[in-house]
Amino acid sequence: MSLKLQKLSDKIVCYSLKVKSGDKVLITSDVVALPLIKYLIQDIQKAGGSANVKLVNSEIDSFVLKYGSEDTIQLLSEHKKFDVDHYDCFIFIHYG
């Protein structure tokens, strides 16, 4: 399995995103994808980029959106804007 994940990581970083030196990459995923995330970080570093990982939980995120106040929603919106303004590439891994 690790060879498949390694190849997938290489395709994402080198061919899909074409990460280059100085690129800042945000990886957003559930904890279940940790093996792939580790390969992505290595490949991003090899390409000269910087990786940051944001671990999420879809169930908790849905709960926050359902019961969050307007202030909470506004804060989440500001976080998303920060991400867009400060990262060059985004990888979102959705696993169900």
Side-chain angles (χ1 to χ4, degrees):
M1 181 59 127
S2 64
L3 183 59
K4 288 182 182 181
L5 291 178
Q6 193 172 14
K7 286 182 179 182
L8 176 60
S9 174
D10 181 64
K11 288 186 187 299
I12 291 169
V13 172
C14 297
Y15 298 105
S16 295
L17 294 177
K18 296 182 171 84
V19 174
K20 58 190 176 303
S21 183
D23 280 352
K24 291 175 255 162
V25 183
L26 177 61
I27 303 167
T28 305
S29 177
D30 196 292
V31 174
V32 72
L34 283 178
L36 175 57
I37 292 169
K38 291 175 182 177
Y39 285 116
L40 289 167
I41 292 168
Q42 289 175 341
D43 287 337
I44 291 165
Q45 296 295 334
K46 284 183 206 169
S50 305
N52 190 17
V53 178
K54 187 184 295 187
L55 296 176
V56 296
N57 180 285
S58 300
E59 185 177 346
I60 296 298
D61 289 348
S62 296
F63 194 84
V64 168
L65 290 175
K66 183 175 182 180
Y67 295 104
S69 66
E70 287 297 319
D71 289 338
T72 301
I73 303 302
Q74 178 62 32
L75 184 60
L76 292 173
S77 175
E78 291 171 14
H79 284 210
K80 295 289 184 193
K81 184 176 180 342
F82 176 89
D83 291 346
V84 170
D85 291 344
H86 291 86
Y87 290 96
D88 303 300
C89 305
F90 299 89
I91 300 171
F92 182 78
I93 303 168
H94 182 75
Y95 179 84

